[in-house]
Amino acid sequence: MWDVSEKTLYSMIVFLFLESLLELYLTMRQIRVYKQSKSVPKELQHVMNNDTFEKARVYGLDKAYYSIFKMIVCDIWITQLELVYGFMALVWARSVEISATIGLNPKSEIHVGCLFALLLNIIGMLKEMPFKIYSTFVLEEKHGFNKQTAGFFVKDQIKGFLVGQALTIPVAAVFIYIVQIGGQYFFVWLWVFVAAVSLVLITIYPVYIAPIFDKFRPLEEGELKQSIHELATSVKFPLGQLFVVEGSKRSAHSNAYFTGLFGVKRIVLFDTLLVNKGLPEDDPSLTESDKGKGCKNEEVLAVLAHELGHWKLGHVAKNIIIVQIQLFLIFLAFSQLFTYGPLYEAIGLPVGEKPILIGFMIIVMYVLAPYNTLISCVMTVLSRRFEYQADAFAQQLGYAKDLGNALIKLQLDNLGFPVYDWMYSGWYHSHPTVLQRLDRLKSLCQGKEQTYKPKSQ
């Protein structure tokens, strides 16, 4: 018969395997949709031609096949092997050995834990790199979305890795220290610490960290800037600065967002969202493929009205509160389970050895995996509800038609496929499909007058 640690190990393996099988099944359902869908949905026939539909279908198929390959290699093969052969235990043992040779104290869990975190991050980066390279320079390149050069990609990865270590290693050290000295209710102090760090990062990221990776420029004076300020004023949004981020150097995909938790906030537009990337039509940096792409001013305002709806309706604050509650519950579960020896023995550690970081990782990644899956499903449902509410907010401001046009244009520019299997979409998509959103906007507009709408001249 299996002992407790073996039962624990096999339980973790079985659940992760079953979850991967479910995701494989859902992806296969969507592949069937890609293969069987041969004509443009009637709702989009006036804006989407057969050529664009076919390109989106092939793009979706390629991404689906890639996701299956990555799922089999990473989630099924590598993950199972790491669990069976005690990968984390091996890295911990190696961290103890290395710490003694580089002047650290091998008996200090903080010293060894920080080195362990660094080694795990290095190994994780190396494991992920082939997939990143393929996704960027093969998959996205094939369909015309990659804009990165090899040099830009390498610099981006190096900067991302260094920034990541500068943030995670000090947090890991404090995390271990709090558990060591926090007493019976250390989970409360852990929660306070992580909550404070996350709020600080949300505040400083757009000002100090994001510019490390992308170039930001103030939105030029003109009709669009004036209209955005009028829109923000109309809903009492405390807009401070308007920026355009040169996302086109990374990808041809489009987006817009606002940042800032307290007081004055900033709105950031991807240059790919704007017509001709927000540049004059004769700008020499514009390629032929760039010309004419992007949303008109009214459509940009509609997208921002949707984003401001998230703020006005409290979605941002609600999400932050939900995340903090989840963190508290995770830390509470960790405090109750982290002394349970079979958890550590299950992944290959000697009897009696219970490193705090490994305990936390086992509990969050494996023990709480069913709970995490359930919460993920609930959050997906909630996110889709929030998206409908933000669309309704934009409609109440009079932007229903322009938002619909923007959704269609973004769908076309990003080669988004409009048809999805309902189970696949319900599992993976935090946003309703474009057809669902268009249908909801249409139903909202029936019999309702549009209200305030600041016009760009």
Side-chain angles (χ1 to χ4, degrees):
M1 290 294 292
W2 296 331
D3 62 24
V4 178
S5 63
E6 289 175 323
K7 290 179 181 178
T8 302
L9 173 63
Y10 296 140
S11 297
M12 294 188 294
I13 289 175
V14 167
F15 179 81
L16 294 176
F17 182 71
L18 291 176
E19 186 176 40
S20 296
L21 285 184
L22 172 61
E23 293 182 347
L24 282 172
Y25 167 71
L26 294 174
T27 304
M28 292 303 299
R29 287 178 62 99
Q30 181 57 29
I31 285 176
R32 186 170 66 232
V33 171
Y34 288 134
K35 290 182 174 180
Q36 293 177 349
S37 301
K38 299 295 183 181
S39 58
V40 182
K42 64 180 186 297
E43 298 92 337
L44 299 177
Q45 287 177 354
H46 63 294
V47 291
M48 191 178 199
N49 58 41
N50 289 328
D51 181 57
T52 302
F53 181 82
E54 179 62 16
K55 288 180 180 178
R57 190 182 73 84
V58 174
Y59 181 42
L61 262 175
D62 285 349
K63 289 195 296 182
Y65 284 132
Y66 167 70
S67 71
I68 285 179
F69 173 76
K70 186 177 180 182
M71 202 181 304
I72 292 173
V73 173
C74 295
D75 298 342
I76 296 180
W77 184 48
I78 294 179
T79 299
Q80 307 293 346
L81 287 177
E82 287 180 347
L83 280 170
V84 170
Y85 289 101
F87 167 73
M88 279 196 285
L90 292 174
V91 176
W92 182 265
R94 189 61 178 154
S95 300
V96 174
E97 294 173 5
I98 296 175
S99 64
T101 64
I102 62 174
L104 298 177
N105 181 3
K107 295 184 179 180
S108 168
E109 189 168 344
I110 292 178
H111 288 187
V112 177
C114 289
L115 184 57
F116 170 78
L118 177 61
L119 290 178
L120 272 190
N121 290 337
I122 292 173
I123 295 169
M125 179 189 67
L126 294 176
K127 286 194 301 185
E128 186 69 21
M129 192 56 61
F131 298 99
K132 283 186 178 181
I133 292 172
Y134 178 86
S135 176
T136 302
F137 293 103
V138 178
L139 181 58
E140 295 293 302
E141 185 83 28
K142 174 183 175 182
H143 296 279
F145 289 114
N146 176 48
K147 302 298 180 182
Q148 300 182 62
T149 63
F152 182 93
F153 178 83
V154 171
K155 290 179 183 177
D156 204 46
Q157 299 306 308
I158 292 173
K159 287 189 289 187
F161 179 78
L162 294 177
V163 170
Q165 305 324 298
L167 295 175
T168 59
I169 292 177
V171 169
V174 177
F175 187 99
I176 295 170
Y177 180 70
I178 290 175
V179 176
Q180 289 177 334
I181 69 160
Q184 181 180 358
Y185 299 104
F186 74 83
F187 63 92
V188 176
W189 302 112
L190 266 185
W191 174 65
V192 171
F193 167 68
V194 174
V197 169
S198 62
L199 292 178
V200 168
L201 286 177
I202 291 173
T203 303
I204 69 172
Y205 179 84
V207 181
Y208 300 106
I209 300 177
I212 296 174
F213 300 95
D214 295 297
K215 184 178 179 180
F216 291 75
R217 70 173 191 265
L219 179 64
E220 293 80 2
E221 296 293 336
E223 299 167 359
L224 179 59
K225 185 174 183 178
Q226 179 182 347
S227 297
I228 292 175
H229 276 284
E230 291 175 3
L231 173 61
T233 301
S234 72
V235 297
K236 297 181 173 59
F237 180 78
L239 175 59
Q241 296 169 302
L242 270 168
F243 287 98
V244 177
V245 58
E246 293 185 1
S248 57
K249 289 186 177 180
R250 189 182 305 276
S251 169
H253 294 296
S254 307
N255 202 356
Y257 61 93
F258 70 86
T259 61
L261 284 179
F262 311 105
V264 175
K265 306 180 189 298
R266 59 172 58 185
I267 288 177
V268 178
L269 308 173
F270 277 54
D271 58 353
T272 47
L273 181 68
L274 308 175
V275 173
N276 299 329
K277 298 197 295 188
L279 300 170
E281 196 167 335
D282 58 352
D283 191 286
S285 67
L286 285 175
T287 64
E288 287 301 318
S289 61
D290 291 329
K291 292 182 179 179
K293 275 193 174 183
C295 295
K296 299 176 182 176
N297 285 2
E298 289 296 330
E299 294 162 351
V300 174
L301 289 171
V303 171
L304 290 179
H306 168 92
E307 296 300 327
L308 293 177
H310 285 305
W311 169 78
K312 191 71 172 179
L313 297 171
H315 296 165
V316 177
K318 290 173 184 175
N319 278 328
I320 290 174
I321 292 171
I322 291 171
V323 168
Q324 296 307 321
I325 292 173
Q326 292 307 310
L327 281 174
F328 182 83
L329 294 176
I330 287 171
F331 291 144
L332 176 60
F334 170 60
S335 72
Q336 301 302 307
L337 297 172
F338 86 108
T339 58
Y340 185 59
L343 289 178
Y344 301 87
E345 296 164 30
I347 56 98
L349 283 166
V351 175
E353 192 167 348
K354 302 173 183 178
I356 292 168
L357 280 186
I358 290 184
F360 183 70
M361 292 174 66
I362 296 170
I363 291 166
V364 172
M365 294 170 59
Y366 305 124
V367 177
L368 295 181
Y371 171 79
N372 294 335
T373 299
L374 175 62
I375 292 300
S376 177
C377 292
V378 172
M379 291 303 296
T380 297
V381 172
L382 183 63
S383 174
R384 292 165 74 95
R385 179 179 176 84
F386 283 172
E387 292 303 316
Y388 280 133
Q389 291 176 352
D391 283 351
F393 182 84
Q395 182 270 337
Q396 291 169 3
L397 292 179
Y399 285 104
K401 180 178 179 181
D402 293 313
L403 180 58
N405 291 339
L407 292 174
I408 292 171
K409 188 166 290 186
L410 293 174
Q411 183 85 0
L412 298 180
D413 287 350
N414 293 317
L415 284 185
F417 195 69
V419 185
Y420 286 97
D421 172 78
W422 69 273
M423 286 180 66
Y424 176 90
S425 181
W427 181 269
Y428 281 107
H429 291 168
S430 61
H431 289 50
T433 67
V434 67
L435 293 180
Q436 290 172 328
R437 294 176 70 179
L438 291 174
D439 183 64
R440 181 65 64 91
L441 283 170
K442 182 179 178 181
S443 67
L444 287 172
C445 290
Q446 288 176 346
K448 294 185 179 181
E449 295 184 1
Q450 294 187 345
T451 55
Y452 177 81
K453 179 179 179 181
K455 284 280 188 182
S456 62
Q457 302 300 317

